[in-house]
Amino acid sequence: MVDRKTFQLSRKAIALVLAGGRGSRLHELTDRRAKPAVHFGGKFRIIDFALSNCVNSQLRRVGVVTQYKSHSLLRHLQRGWSFLHGEVNEFVDLLPAQQRIDEESWYRGTADAVYQNIDILETYTPSPEYVVILAGDHVYKMNYGIMLVDHVESGAECTVACIEVPRKEASGFGIVAVDDSGMITDFIEKPADPPAMPGNPEMSLCSMGVYVFNAKYLYAELARDIADETSNHDFGKDIIPRAVANRCAVAHSFSRSCVVAPDEPVREHYWRDAGTIDAYWDSNIDLTGTVPALNLYDSNWPVWTYQQQLPPAKFVHNHLDRRGTAIESTVSGGCIVSGEVNRSLLFSSCRVHSYARVNLSVMLPNTSVGSRARLSRCVVDSDCHIPPNMVVGEDPDDDARRFRYTENGITLITKKMLERLT
């Protein structure tokens, strides 16, 4: 829950969700959509988690900065996030790239994306005193209000949310070093050999891409950065390292603001960058477990989204050799299952036909698996129709020839890939 002090500070802040990323490591899964618009968890989009954190934290003035293939993202936001009340100064503003620098200049980096919208931020009433910068492509539950209070009480100009990550997995993140007071003493963006935490050689302290700035400081730094022709105009590469060098930045431990249900044992502080096919498959399949690491059933911290009005999932036929079943699986509305589904996640309006088998697979909306087809360890993009008798996931060479096959043995299937086979 949000206390009075947190609520008051949240009303003085605005959140900017950076949702313009292409997500190239997801390959064909982002051919038609930006990474934040990628489906996740059976009924959500990835961006829903950052936006839900804002709403549940009472941070209800939100701008979403978009750029790459944003149509499906904008459509989702318009349909699912228009419930805030503008008459009490609550909103989700859509901020597509508008080439304010010149007619050929799209957003050149995350810092430039914010800079090009400063004129809009300055029109909001009351003028924001704090700006919360969020990545729109991470999955987690976090009370930003707690981080905002910590930021104000620290007296710092900038606060960086940090999480402990296994060192072998940390090369894709900004690595943070802190002193005893929490001041950040060093920041290295995506090092090939991430330094370990003091006293813990297996872990590194990583930036989550969640920042709180004093608004006046941020605007001044962005103006200085945009004039620097050598800059990448990026928070991780330019703005944060400069704040660290000037001893203006402090760290906020995710353990303080990670949201856990009241009766839920803390097994881990859940935060995922589902930025590769392997990571995307793994984080979705994890939700099918009896006690998944991410709790989507906490009514105190709901994850909001747009959802179609669909009938309940249905399992049909009751014969010994023909029975629709789903074991340790997540099955969404509008699905009809007459085959076998095991440890899989089915998004809305999927079909699994008679005698078909789906094992350890993620099926995005409006997909179907034909009779006697078999899928194992697959991610099936939306609107795909797996032909009867097709087998995927049992012959790596055959899978790699027809589809995208990852180093961890996950097969991505898209509509275009299937069309090439006909």
Side-chain angles (χ1 to χ4, degrees):
M1 300 299 291
V2 178
D3 60 27
R4 182 175 180 81
K5 181 177 182 179
T6 302
F7 174 78
Q8 290 174 336
L9 284 176
S10 296
R11 304 299 286 183
K12 297 179 180 179
I14 188 167
L16 288 182
V17 183
L18 305 181
R22 177 170 182 168
S24 58
R25 294 180 300 158
L26 285 171
H27 299 287
E28 292 85 356
L29 207 54
T30 51
D31 275 355
R32 296 182 294 161
R33 56 181 79 92
K35 182 181 172 184
V38 171
H39 301 274
F40 187 89
K43 61 184 291 186
F44 310 105
R45 305 287 183 122
I46 292 177
I47 196 173
D48 289 328
F49 291 86
L51 292 176
S52 295
N53 289 337
C54 289
V55 170
N56 292 327
S57 301
Q58 298 300 317
L59 188 59
R60 297 191 172 195
R61 294 196 294 171
V62 183
V64 180
V65 182
T66 67
Q67 180 165 260
Y68 172 82
K69 293 191 176 179
S70 60
H71 174 69
S72 62
L73 176 61
L74 295 174
R75 182 177 60 189
H76 173 72
L77 296 174
Q78 290 167 340
R79 291 178 177 178
W81 287 92
S82 59
F83 60 85
L84 295 177
H85 299 287
E87 63 271 21
V88 292
N89 206 21
E90 299 177 350
F91 55 80
V92 173
D93 253 1
L94 308 180
L95 305 173
Q98 298 183 46
Q99 300 175 307
R100 285 189 171 86
I101 303 298
D102 58 62
E103 292 185 359
E104 297 181 357
S105 179
W106 296 97
Y107 295 147
R108 295 168 291 176
T110 53
D112 183 45
V114 176
Y115 175 79
Q116 291 199 40
N117 287 287
I118 286 178
D119 60 335
I120 294 178
L121 301 184
E122 291 177 333
T123 66
Y124 293 137
T125 304
S127 181
E129 296 180 30
Y130 311 101
V131 181
V132 182
I133 304 293
L134 306 170
D137 54 2
H138 297 152
V139 178
Y140 62 108
K141 297 196 298 181
M142 179 179 181
N143 189 334
Y144 300 135
I146 295 174
M147 182 178 175
L148 185 57
V149 170
D150 282 359
H151 169 78
V152 173
E153 292 181 347
S154 75
E157 300 284 5
C158 167
T159 298
V160 180
C162 299
I163 187 172
E164 296 181 13
V165 173
R167 185 180 174 189
K168 62 183 180 180
E169 302 172 11
S171 60
F173 305 101
I175 307 301
V176 174
V178 298
D179 63 18
D180 292 340
S181 68
M183 183 74 67
I184 300 177
T185 58
D186 197 11
F187 182 91
I188 310 170
E189 178 73 353
K190 299 182 179 180
D193 183 21
M197 294 176 60
N200 193 345
E202 301 301 321
M203 304 294 286
S204 295
L205 188 62
C206 298
S207 166
M208 297 170 57
V210 175
Y211 315 117
V212 179
F213 290 94
N214 293 343
K216 290 182 179 179
Y217 169 85
L218 175 63
Y219 299 164
E221 282 298 293
L222 292 175
R224 179 205 57 77
D225 177 79
I226 209 69
D228 182 356
E229 294 183 355
T230 66
S231 175
N232 297 285
H233 311 301
D234 184 84
F235 278 99
K237 295 178 180 177
D238 305 289
I239 303 300
I240 301 302
R242 178 176 167 86
V244 171
N246 292 333
R247 297 190 64 80
C248 293
V250 298
H252 169 84
S253 174
F254 182 46
S255 62
R256 285 186 44 74
S257 51
C258 179
V259 174
V260 180
D263 57 348
E264 181 181 356
V266 180
R267 300 186 309 280
E268 66 169 300
H269 296 114
Y270 187 96
W271 180 84
R272 295 286 188 274
D273 178 1
T276 67
I277 298 298
D278 289 327
Y280 179 78
W281 174 87
D282 185 69
S283 54
N284 274 282
I285 292 298
D286 177 73
L287 296 175
T288 68
T290 303
V291 185
L294 176 64
N295 182 358
L296 296 177
Y297 298 87
D298 180 9
S299 59
N300 292 313
W301 201 270
V303 182
W304 303 84
T305 191
Y306 165 75
Q307 57 182 334
Q308 294 176 277
Q309 298 303 309
L310 296 170
K314 183 166 66 170
F315 302 82
V316 297
H317 304 305
N318 189 23
H319 308 290
L320 288 178
D321 64 339
R322 190 187 185 198
R323 180 175 294 147
T325 61
I327 307 299
E328 276 203 326
S329 295
T330 297
V331 181
S332 304
C335 290
I336 300 176
V337 177
S338 59
E340 299 178 17
V341 177
N342 178 62
R343 196 74 198 276
S344 295
L345 186 145
L346 277 58
F347 283 79
S348 305
S349 300
C350 291
R351 302 286 189 269
V352 179
H353 290 277
S354 296
Y355 312 109
R357 295 186 208 165
V358 177
N359 181 57
L360 287 166
S361 293
V362 179
M363 295 174 56
L364 272 63
N366 302 307
T367 62
S368 67
V369 182
S371 178
R372 301 188 188 279
R374 300 197 303 273
L375 301 182
S376 183
R377 294 173 63 82
C378 294
V379 174
V380 186
D381 199 3
S382 56
D383 303 310
C384 283
H385 302 289
I386 306 299
N389 301 304
M390 176 174 278
V391 178
V392 185
E394 298 179 17
D395 184 335
D397 293 334
D398 194 34
D399 295 339
R401 178 181 59 81
R402 297 178 295 171
F403 308 110
R404 179 172 292 279
Y405 187 75
T406 74
E407 61 182 14
N408 288 348
I410 305 303
T411 304
L412 171 64
I413 303 172
T414 69
K415 187 175 182 180
K416 284 187 177 181
M417 295 174 188
L418 290 167
E419 289 172 349
R420 288 200 300 262
L421 300 178
T422 59

